């Protein structure tokens, strides 16, 4: 038995090793045929690798909250529609490279919702990146100063889903406008983007500032977007 366990370790079949250990501890391996035992071992390895991939993707995404769509509370008065979330949960918007625009007042659950969709995407095997927009623009400024801006943009463009939180807290200035345009352009119709903002979409034009750039950005974001407008008082007041 120990030799078999050792072989699993040597071959890095850790899921099989854990399943084999559980089978031997419960003496279940005596009751299984070869095909049944092999099926359980393969299932254990598959689940182990799936869990590892999810944890790796989740860690790399750097979410603001650890959240899941199962934790969402659906209330029409708050603007959260179960059928819309169910549709997003299929991941079709990611495959189509569409945007999801989440708006609402401070504390109404925008970041939690964006994080929940992001975690679900990781669970489906998609590469996700989560940023506060102001911190992202600081990173682009630093990358430009270090001469690594093209590499940074390339990394962002490879994320299947990019989540930009707290859009619209401050107006974008000249280089920020261009950097934001570059990020959105790289993703247009190729990879999905979720943007969470306190401002209604109608106010985004003024936040971006420069008319030509604002037109280009909003044209790429808005027309094929899924819109979630959260309503009601801050959930933090109820804590």
């Amino acid at each position: 038995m120990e030799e078999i366990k050792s072989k699993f370790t040597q071959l890095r079949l850790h899921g099989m090793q854990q399943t084999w250990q559980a089978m031997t501890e419960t003496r279940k391996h005596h009751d299984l045929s070869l095909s049944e035992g092999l099926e359980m071992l393969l299932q254990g390895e598959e689940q182990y690798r799936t869990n590892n991939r999810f944890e790796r993707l989740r860690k790399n995404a750097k979410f603001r909250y650890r959240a899941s769509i199962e934790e969402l509370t659906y209330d029409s008065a708050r603007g959260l529609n179960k059928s819309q979330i169910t549709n997003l949960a299929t991941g079709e918007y990611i495959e189509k490279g569409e945007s999801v625009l989440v708006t609402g007042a401070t504390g109404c659950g925008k970041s939690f919702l964006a994080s929940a969709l992001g975690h679900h995407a990781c669970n489906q095997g998609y590469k996700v990146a989560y940023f506060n927009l102001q911190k992202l623009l600081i990173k682009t400024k630093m990358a430009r100063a270090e001469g690594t801006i093209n590499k940074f943009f390339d990394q962002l463009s490879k994320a299947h889903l990019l989540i930009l939180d707290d859009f619209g807290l401050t107006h974008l200035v000249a280089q920020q406008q261009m950097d934001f345009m570059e990020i959105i352009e790289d993703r247009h119709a190729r990879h999905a983007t979720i943007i969470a903002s306190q401002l209604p979409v109608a106010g985004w034009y003024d936040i971006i500032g420069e008319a030509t750039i604002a037109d280009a950005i909003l044209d790429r974001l808005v027309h094929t977007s899924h819109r979630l407008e959260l309503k009601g008082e801050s959930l933090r007041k109820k804590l």
Side-chain angles (χ1 to χ4, degrees):
M1 297 301 178
E2 287 301 316
E3 185 178 350
I4 293 175
K5 184 177 178 181
S6 177
K7 285 294 183 183
F8 284 143
T9 302
Q10 182 181 343
L11 295 171
R12 298 183 180 179
L13 297 172
H14 302 298
M16 283 190 174
Q17 178 189 338
Q18 292 174 1
T19 304
W20 176 253
Q21 182 174 342
M23 290 166 63
T24 56
E25 288 175 346
T26 59
R27 302 293 190 271
K28 192 170 184 178
H29 61 296
H30 292 306
D31 303 324
L32 299 172
S33 67
L34 176 61
S35 61
E36 289 171 337
L38 182 58
E39 183 178 4
M40 284 191 66
L41 290 169
L42 290 171
Q43 287 175 347
E45 184 64 28
E46 181 180 31
Q47 188 60 51
Y48 178 86
R49 295 189 182 195
T50 297
N51 291 342
N52 267 10
R53 177 170 173 76
F54 169 73
E55 284 302 317
R56 185 172 65 255
L57 290 170
R58 183 193 64 78
K59 183 178 180 180
N60 290 339
K62 299 179 180 177
F63 293 109
R64 182 172 181 178
Y65 297 107
R66 186 154 191 168
S68 69
I69 58 174
E70 289 77 19
E71 295 177 87
L72 298 175
T73 301
Y74 300 101
D75 183 352
S76 58
R78 298 193 68 84
L80 198 55
N81 184 283
K82 187 173 184 178
S83 63
Q84 189 175 21
I85 299 300
T86 300
N87 178 52
L88 291 172
T90 65
E92 186 177 358
Y93 76 101
I94 300 177
E95 292 296 324
K96 291 183 176 180
E98 296 172 341
S99 58
V100 179
L101 311 182
V102 186
T103 57
T106 300
C108 68
K110 301 182 300 297
S111 298
F112 189 89
L113 174 57
S115 295
L117 291 171
H119 276 87
H120 192 72
C122 287
N123 199 37
Q124 293 171 312
Y126 293 111
K127 182 180 179 182
V128 182
Y130 188 107
F131 287 96
N132 168 284
L133 182 63
Q134 294 306 309
K135 291 181 179 179
L136 174 61
L137 292 175
I138 291 173
K139 282 182 175 290
T140 62
K141 183 178 181 180
M142 293 174 60
R144 192 176 300 282
E146 294 168 357
T148 59
I149 188 65
N150 290 333
K151 181 180 178 181
F152 184 59
F153 280 150
D154 186 56
Q155 290 174 343
L156 288 177
S157 70
K158 290 178 180 177
H160 300 116
L161 173 61
L162 175 64
I163 302 175
L164 300 177
D165 200 1
D166 291 328
F167 172 79
L169 294 183
T170 60
H171 288 77
L172 303 185
V173 296
Q175 189 58 60
Q176 292 177 334
Q177 295 166 356
M178 295 301 297
D179 288 345
F180 188 45
M181 175 65 202
E182 183 81 18
I183 292 167
I184 298 303
E185 174 62 27
D186 283 347
R187 308 188 62 74
H188 180 55
R190 289 189 289 271
H191 294 306
T193 306
I194 295 178
I195 297 182
S197 175
Q198 296 178 23
L199 294 176
V201 175
W204 291 11
Y205 191 95
D206 292 333
I207 288 296
I208 297 170
E210 206 284 323
T212 303
I213 297 176
D215 282 336
I217 290 173
L218 294 178
D219 180 66
R220 286 158 176 75
L221 284 175
V222 174
H223 296 307
T224 60
S225 67
H226 302 264
R227 305 277 287 274
L228 296 105
E229 300 177 19
L230 304 186
K231 305 171 185 177
E233 292 185 349
S234 171
L235 298 176
R236 295 169 190 158
K237 294 180 180 179
K238 300 181 179 181
L239 298 179

